[in-house]
Amino acid sequence: PVLSDINLTIDSGETIAVVGPNGCGKSTLASLLLRFYDPTSGSIQIDDVDLRSVRLFDLREQIGLVTQDAVLFNDTVEANIRLGRPEATDEEVRDAARRAHAHEFIESSLSSGYQTVVGEGASRLSGGQRQRIALARAILREPKILILDEATSQVDLKSERQIQGILADFIRQRTTIIVTHRLSILDLADRIVVMEGGRIVDIGTHAELLSRSAAFRRLSEGQHKRSA
């Protein structure tokens, strides 16, 4: 088993951050919500409804996802953003890009702006550019549940701070799960879930975990050493 003894309740509109060392099961936990996997025992429920009884289309229509390896199609930048909401207007697409701090590089760095074809595997974009386009797609979607799985791992520190400012407003009244190893983003979270070895070892606020959780202190100290 990848995950064991998981018991977690997230309130509607709450922002949860999931932290832990590489390989501890953070991304697997988030993937269960999208039914990329189904649990072999127990259940994942939204409003007391087992996700296995919900059509995949209906479930995923309610969720916005931004991952470390953002998936873009070999199409224009505009088309990739509009996948979040196909009926969106051009101005709504551009507004979502502005909120994701993607508009400036799209207009100034790409040869054909929003009509630039990103290439196979989005090879014409950097990792940070791909993540910002994926974030614009999620913002355009206006999802009820937002999952950010290392969503700013490939952007520079200045861009990350700008994106965090946008997210602070965007996630209000929206259930949000942030999977991260970059502890700077934890300011957005109402609670932090600490994982080790496929288990949840503690849940609390930043201050609570610093005072009582050795696992969280190790993560925090390791982050400070890497950034020093």
Side-chain angles (χ1 to χ4, degrees):
V2 178
L3 302 175
S4 303
D5 303 321
I6 298 293
N7 187 3
L8 175 63
T9 299
I10 302 172
D11 293 331
S12 177
E14 185 178 22
T15 297
I16 291 287
V18 184
V19 302
N22 290 336
C24 71
K26 302 187 300 292
S27 293
T28 302
L29 186 64
S31 296
L32 287 168
L33 275 174
L34 287 147
R35 288 196 65 201
F36 292 155
Y37 315 106
D38 282 329
T40 54
S41 63
S43 65
I44 312 294
Q45 300 179 4
I46 297 179
D47 294 335
D48 298 323
V49 176
D50 191 319
L51 296 192
R52 286 170 291 197
S53 68
V54 180
R55 285 198 315 161
L56 280 177
F57 177 84
D58 294 334
L59 171 65
R60 293 174 181 171
E61 194 176 36
Q62 309 300 316
I63 299 175
L65 173 67
V66 185
T67 65
Q68 182 171 5
D69 300 311
V71 176
L72 301 181
F73 295 96
N74 188 13
D75 204 335
T76 65
V77 169
E78 181 179 86
N80 271 285
I81 296 174
R82 187 174 268 116
L83 280 171
R85 186 156 49 89
E87 71 278 11
T89 65
D90 289 351
E91 185 51 40
E92 287 173 330
V93 169
R94 282 154 179 74
D95 180 61
R98 290 186 188 96
R99 294 168 71 186
H101 287 273
H103 179 76
E104 184 177 347
F105 86 77
I106 292 170
E107 291 281 74
S108 64
S109 301
L110 303 185
S111 58
S112 300
Y114 283 85
Q115 299 311 309
T116 302
V117 176
V118 302
E120 197 71 40
S123 57
R124 294 173 188 161
L125 303 176
S126 69
Q129 288 172 338
R130 289 195 293 270
Q131 283 190 316
R132 279 180 278 180
I133 288 174
L135 181 59
R137 177 196 294 167
I139 288 173
L140 183 66
R141 193 176 189 82
E142 293 283 357
K144 293 181 179 177
I145 299 172
L146 178 64
I147 299 175
L148 304 174
D149 188 352
E150 303 287 9
T152 59
S153 62
Q154 299 189 56
V155 302
D156 58 66
L157 187 59
K158 179 182 177 182
S159 295
E160 184 184 40
R161 286 173 178 162
Q162 292 171 333
I163 290 169
Q164 284 181 30
I166 295 298
L167 287 174
D169 180 62
F170 184 68
I171 64 179
R172 286 180 189 155
Q173 310 303 315
R174 202 181 307 274
T175 305
T176 305
I177 298 167
I178 302 171
V179 176
T180 185
H181 72 278
R182 293 171 77 161
L183 302 187
S184 56
I185 203 169
L186 296 185
D187 289 343
L188 298 175
D190 299 308
R191 288 187 297 156
I192 301 166
V193 174
V194 184
M195 294 189 67
E196 275 193 340
R199 288 178 166 83
I200 293 174
V201 295
D202 210 337
I203 303 174
T205 65
H206 191 282
E208 289 170 346
L209 293 173
L210 277 178
S211 69
R212 72 177 183 226
S213 171
F216 185 74
R217 284 196 298 273
R218 284 195 298 273
L219 290 170
S220 183
E221 290 163 3
Q223 183 84 92
H224 289 314
K225 287 178 181 177
R226 285 192 296 272
S227 61

mmCIF file with all atom_site columns, all heavy atoms in Angstrom, residues 201-215:
data_model
loop_
_atom_site.group_PDB
_atom_site.id
_atom_site.type_symbol
_atom_site.label_atom_id
_atom_site.label_alt_id
_atom_site.label_comp_id
_atom_site.label_asym_id
_atom_site.label_entity_id
_atom_site.label_seq_id
_atom_site.pdbx_PDB_ins_code
_atom_site.Cartn_x
_atom_site.Cartn_y
_atom_site.Cartn_z
_atom_site.occupancy
_atom_site.B_iso_or_equiv
_atom_site.pdbx_formal_charge
_atom_site.auth_seq_id
_atom_site.auth_comp_id
_atom_site.auth_asym_id
_atom_site.auth_atom_id
_atom_site.pdbx_PDB_model_num
ATOM 1   N N   . VAL A 1 201 ? 0.964  12.182 9.797  1.00 0.00 ? 201 VAL A N   1
ATOM 2   C CA  . VAL A 1 201 ? 1.559  12.130 11.135 1.00 0.00 ? 201 VAL A CA  1
ATOM 3   C C   . VAL A 1 201 ? 1.149  13.325 11.994 1.00 0.00 ? 201 VAL A C   1
ATOM 4   O O   . VAL A 1 201 ? 1.300  13.281 13.217 1.00 0.00 ? 201 VAL A O   1
ATOM 5   C CB  . VAL A 1 201 ? 3.096  12.041 11.068 1.00 0.00 ? 201 VAL A CB  1
ATOM 6   C CG1 . VAL A 1 201 ? 3.510  10.728 10.421 1.00 0.00 ? 201 VAL A CG1 1
ATOM 7   C CG2 . VAL A 1 201 ? 3.705  13.224 10.312 1.00 0.00 ? 201 VAL A CG2 1
ATOM 8   N N   . ASP A 1 202 ? 0.626  14.384 11.379 1.00 0.00 ? 202 ASP A N   1
ATOM 9   C CA  . ASP A 1 202 ? 0.145  15.518 12.178 1.00 0.00 ? 202 ASP A CA  1
ATOM 10  C C   . ASP A 1 202 ? -0.665 16.452 11.288 1.00 0.00 ? 202 ASP A C   1
ATOM 11  O O   . ASP A 1 202 ? -0.475 16.479 10.056 1.00 0.00 ? 202 ASP A O   1
ATOM 12  C CB  . ASP A 1 202 ? 1.298  16.294 12.817 1.00 0.00 ? 202 ASP A CB  1
ATOM 13  C CG  . ASP A 1 202 ? 0.897  16.958 14.146 1.00 0.00 ? 202 ASP A CG  1
ATOM 14  O OD1 . ASP A 1 202 ? -0.318 17.187 14.352 1.00 0.00 ? 202 ASP A OD1 1
ATOM 15  O OD2 . ASP A 1 202 ? 1.778  17.231 14.961 1.00 0.00 ? 202 ASP A OD2 1
ATOM 16  N N   . ILE A 1 203 ? -1.563 17.202 11.897 1.00 0.00 ? 203 ILE A N   1
ATOM 17  C CA  . ILE A 1 203 ? -2.357 18.221 11.209 1.00 0.00 ? 203 ILE A CA  1
ATOM 18  C C   . ILE A 1 203 ? -2.464 19.410 12.140 1.00 0.00 ? 203 ILE A C   1
ATOM 19  O O   . ILE A 1 203 ? -2.753 19.256 13.331 1.00 0.00 ? 203 ILE A O   1
ATOM 20  C CB  . ILE A 1 203 ? -3.781 17.720 10.871 1.00 0.00 ? 203 ILE A CB  1
ATOM 21  C CG1 . ILE A 1 203 ? -3.736 16.447 10.026 1.00 0.00 ? 203 ILE A CG1 1
ATOM 22  C CG2 . ILE A 1 203 ? -4.576 18.805 10.134 1.00 0.00 ? 203 ILE A CG2 1
ATOM 23  C CD1 . ILE A 1 203 ? -5.109 15.819 9.775  1.00 0.00 ? 203 ILE A CD1 1
ATOM 24  N N   . GLY A 1 204 ? -2.233 20.608 11.619 1.00 0.00 ? 204 GLY A N   1
ATOM 25  C CA  . GLY A 1 204 ? -2.354 21.789 12.458 1.00 0.00 ? 204 GLY A CA  1
ATOM 26  C C   . GLY A 1 204 ? -1.978 23.046 11.709 1.00 0.00 ? 204 GLY A C   1
ATOM 27  O O   . GLY A 1 204 ? -1.702 23.016 10.505 1.00 0.00 ? 204 GLY A O   1
ATOM 28  N N   . THR A 1 205 ? -1.947 24.163 12.413 1.00 0.00 ? 205 THR A N   1
ATOM 29  C CA  . THR A 1 205 ? -1.496 25.411 11.825 1.00 0.00 ? 205 THR A CA  1
ATOM 30  C C   . THR A 1 205 ? 0.033  25.421 11.797 1.00 0.00 ? 205 THR A C   1
ATOM 31  O O   . THR A 1 205 ? 0.695  24.576 12.422 1.00 0.00 ? 205 THR A O   1
ATOM 32  C CB  . THR A 1 205 ? -1.992 26.615 12.629 1.00 0.00 ? 205 THR A CB  1
ATOM 33  O OG1 . THR A 1 205 ? -1.377 26.575 13.937 1.00 0.00 ? 205 THR A OG1 1
ATOM 34  C CG2 . THR A 1 205 ? -3.506 26.581 12.787 1.00 0.00 ? 205 THR A CG2 1
ATOM 35  N N   . HIS A 1 206 ? 0.578  26.386 11.103 1.00 0.00 ? 206 HIS A N   1
ATOM 36  C CA  . HIS A 1 206 ? 2.034  26.512 11.003 1.00 0.00 ? 206 HIS A CA  1
ATOM 37  C C   . HIS A 1 206 ? 2.664  26.629 12.394 1.00 0.00 ? 206 HIS A C   1
ATOM 38  O O   . HIS A 1 206 ? 3.633  25.925 12.719 1.00 0.00 ? 206 HIS A O   1
ATOM 39  C CB  . HIS A 1 206 ? 2.376  27.738 10.150 1.00 0.00 ? 206 HIS A CB  1
ATOM 40  C CG  . HIS A 1 206 ? 3.809  27.824 9.749  1.00 0.00 ? 206 HIS A CG  1
ATOM 41  N ND1 . HIS A 1 206 ? 4.799  28.259 10.597 1.00 0.00 ? 206 HIS A ND1 1
ATOM 42  C CD2 . HIS A 1 206 ? 4.430  27.512 8.579  1.00 0.00 ? 206 HIS A CD2 1
ATOM 43  C CE1 . HIS A 1 206 ? 5.958  28.230 9.971  1.00 0.00 ? 206 HIS A CE1 1
ATOM 44  N NE2 . HIS A 1 206 ? 5.768  27.774 8.745  1.00 0.00 ? 206 HIS A NE2 1
ATOM 45  N N   . ALA A 1 207 ? 2.112  27.496 13.230 1.00 0.00 ? 207 ALA A N   1
ATOM 46  C CA  . ALA A 1 207 ? 2.662  27.705 14.574 1.00 0.00 ? 207 ALA A CA  1
ATOM 47  C C   . ALA A 1 207 ? 2.534  26.446 15.427 1.00 0.00 ? 207 ALA A C   1
ATOM 48  O O   . ALA A 1 207 ? 3.469  26.077 16.160 1.00 0.00 ? 207 ALA A O   1
ATOM 49  C CB  . ALA A 1 207 ? 1.957  28.875 15.253 1.00 0.00 ? 207 ALA A CB  1
ATOM 50  N N   . GLU A 1 208 ? 1.382  25.773 15.337 1.00 0.00 ? 208 GLU A N   1
ATOM 51  C CA  . GLU A 1 208 ? 1.177  24.552 16.129 1.00 0.00 ? 208 GLU A CA  1
ATOM 52  C C   . GLU A 1 208 ? 2.187  23.473 15.746 1.00 0.00 ? 208 GLU A C   1
ATOM 53  O O   . GLU A 1 208 ? 2.772  22.820 16.616 1.00 0.00 ? 208 GLU A O   1
ATOM 54  C CB  . GLU A 1 208 ? -0.243 24.032 15.920 1.00 0.00 ? 208 GLU A CB  1
ATOM 55  C CG  . GLU A 1 208 ? -1.316 24.893 16.570 1.00 0.00 ? 208 GLU A CG  1
ATOM 56  C CD  . GLU A 1 208 ? -2.714 24.502 16.138 1.00 0.00 ? 208 GLU A CD  1
ATOM 57  O OE1 . GLU A 1 208 ? -2.847 23.754 15.135 1.00 0.00 ? 208 GLU A OE1 1
ATOM 58  O OE2 . GLU A 1 208 ? -3.677 24.960 16.783 1.00 0.00 ? 208 GLU A OE2 1
ATOM 59  N N   . LEU A 1 209 ? 2.411  23.318 14.455 1.00 0.00 ? 209 LEU A N   1
ATOM 60  C CA  . LEU A 1 209 ? 3.306  22.255 13.991 1.00 0.00 ? 209 LEU A CA  1
ATOM 61  C C   . LEU A 1 209 ? 4.759  22.560 14.332 1.00 0.00 ? 209 LEU A C   1
ATOM 62  O O   . LEU A 1 209 ? 5.525  21.648 14.667 1.00 0.00 ? 209 LEU A O   1
ATOM 63  C CB  . LEU A 1 209 ? 3.138  22.060 12.485 1.00 0.00 ? 209 LEU A CB  1
ATOM 64  C CG  . LEU A 1 209 ? 1.776  21.500 12.061 1.00 0.00 ? 209 LEU A CG  1
ATOM 65  C CD1 . LEU A 1 209 ? 1.646  21.496 10.545 1.00 0.00 ? 209 LEU A CD1 1
ATOM 66  C CD2 . LEU A 1 209 ? 1.555  20.096 12.616 1.00 0.00 ? 209 LEU A CD2 1
ATOM 67  N N   . LEU A 1 210 ? 5.150  23.818 14.254 1.00 0.00 ? 210 LEU A N   1
ATOM 68  C CA  . LEU A 1 210 ? 6.516  24.174 14.636 1.00 0.00 ? 210 LEU A CA  1
ATOM 69  C C   . LEU A 1 210 ? 6.775  23.855 16.107 1.00 0.00 ? 210 LEU A C   1
ATOM 70  O O   . LEU A 1 210 ? 7.879  23.460 16.486 1.00 0.00 ? 210 LEU A O   1
ATOM 71  C CB  . LEU A 1 210 ? 6.772  25.653 14.375 1.00 0.00 ? 210 LEU A CB  1
ATOM 72  C CG  . LEU A 1 210 ? 7.158  26.045 12.944 1.00 0.00 ? 210 LEU A CG  1
ATOM 73  C CD1 . LEU A 1 210 ? 7.319  27.553 12.839 1.00 0.00 ? 210 LEU A CD1 1
ATOM 74  C CD2 . LEU A 1 210 ? 8.432  25.340 12.484 1.00 0.00 ? 210 LEU A CD2 1
ATOM 75  N N   . SER A 1 211 ? 5.739  24.000 16.929 1.00 0.00 ? 211 SER A N   1
ATOM 76  C CA  . SER A 1 211 ? 5.923  23.800 18.364 1.00 0.00 ? 211 SER A CA  1
ATOM 77  C C   . SER A 1 211 ? 5.919  22.333 18.770 1.00 0.00 ? 211 SER A C   1
ATOM 78  O O   . SER A 1 211 ? 6.524  21.965 19.780 1.00 0.00 ? 211 SER A O   1
ATOM 79  C CB  . SER A 1 211 ? 4.832  24.549 19.141 1.00 0.00 ? 211 SER A CB  1
ATOM 80  O OG  . SER A 1 211 ? 3.569  23.951 18.933 1.00 0.00 ? 211 SER A OG  1
ATOM 81  N N   . ARG A 1 212 ? 5.252  21.454 17.972 1.00 0.00 ? 212 ARG A N   1
ATOM 82  C CA  . ARG A 1 212 ? 5.086  20.078 18.459 1.00 0.00 ? 212 ARG A CA  1
ATOM 83  C C   . ARG A 1 212 ? 5.522  18.985 17.491 1.00 0.00 ? 212 ARG A C   1
ATOM 84  O O   . ARG A 1 212 ? 5.665  17.831 17.894 1.00 0.00 ? 212 ARG A O   1
ATOM 85  C CB  . ARG A 1 212 ? 3.618  19.853 18.819 1.00 0.00 ? 212 ARG A CB  1
ATOM 86  C CG  . ARG A 1 212 ? 2.700  19.751 17.604 1.00 0.00 ? 212 ARG A CG  1
ATOM 87  C CD  . ARG A 1 212 ? 1.272  19.465 17.992 1.00 0.00 ? 212 ARG A CD  1
ATOM 88  N NE  . ARG A 1 212 ? 0.440  19.306 16.815 1.00 0.00 ? 212 ARG A NE  1
ATOM 89  C CZ  . ARG A 1 212 ? -0.746 19.875 16.644 1.00 0.00 ? 212 ARG A CZ  1
ATOM 90  N NH1 . ARG A 1 212 ? -1.241 20.661 17.600 1.00 0.00 ? 212 ARG A NH1 1
ATOM 91  N NH2 . ARG A 1 212 ? -1.450 19.675 15.549 1.00 0.00 ? 212 ARG A NH2 1
ATOM 92  N N   . SER A 1 213 ? 5.721  19.312 16.191 1.00 0.00 ? 213 SER A N   1
ATOM 93  C CA  . SER A 1 213 ? 5.949  18.255 15.211 1.00 0.00 ? 213 SER A CA  1
ATOM 94  C C   . SER A 1 213 ? 7.412  18.226 14.777 1.00 0.00 ? 213 SER A C   1
ATOM 95  O O   . SER A 1 213 ? 7.889  19.126 14.075 1.00 0.00 ? 213 SER A O   1
ATOM 96  C CB  . SER A 1 213 ? 5.050  18.465 13.978 1.00 0.00 ? 213 SER A CB  1
ATOM 97  O OG  . SER A 1 213 ? 5.407  17.565 12.952 1.00 0.00 ? 213 SER A OG  1
ATOM 98  N N   . ALA A 1 214 ? 8.112  17.166 15.158 1.00 0.00 ? 214 ALA A N   1
ATOM 99  C CA  . ALA A 1 214 ? 9.508  17.016 14.746 1.00 0.00 ? 214 ALA A CA  1
ATOM 100 C C   . ALA A 1 214 ? 9.606  16.857 13.236 1.00 0.00 ? 214 ALA A C   1
ATOM 101 O O   . ALA A 1 214 ? 10.543 17.371 12.606 1.00 0.00 ? 214 ALA A O   1
ATOM 102 C CB  . ALA A 1 214 ? 10.122 15.811 15.450 1.00 0.00 ? 214 ALA A CB  1
ATOM 103 N N   . ALA A 1 215 ? 8.649  16.152 12.629 1.00 0.00 ? 215 ALA A N   1
ATOM 104 C CA  . ALA A 1 215 ? 8.664  15.941 11.182 1.00 0.00 ? 215 ALA A CA  1
ATOM 105 C C   . ALA A 1 215 ? 8.541  17.276 10.444 1.00 0.00 ? 215 ALA A C   1
ATOM 106 O O   . ALA A 1 215 ? 9.255  17.522 9.464  1.00 0.00 ? 215 ALA A O   1
ATOM 107 C CB  . ALA A 1 215 ? 7.524  15.009 10.778 1.00 0.00 ? 215 ALA A CB  1
#
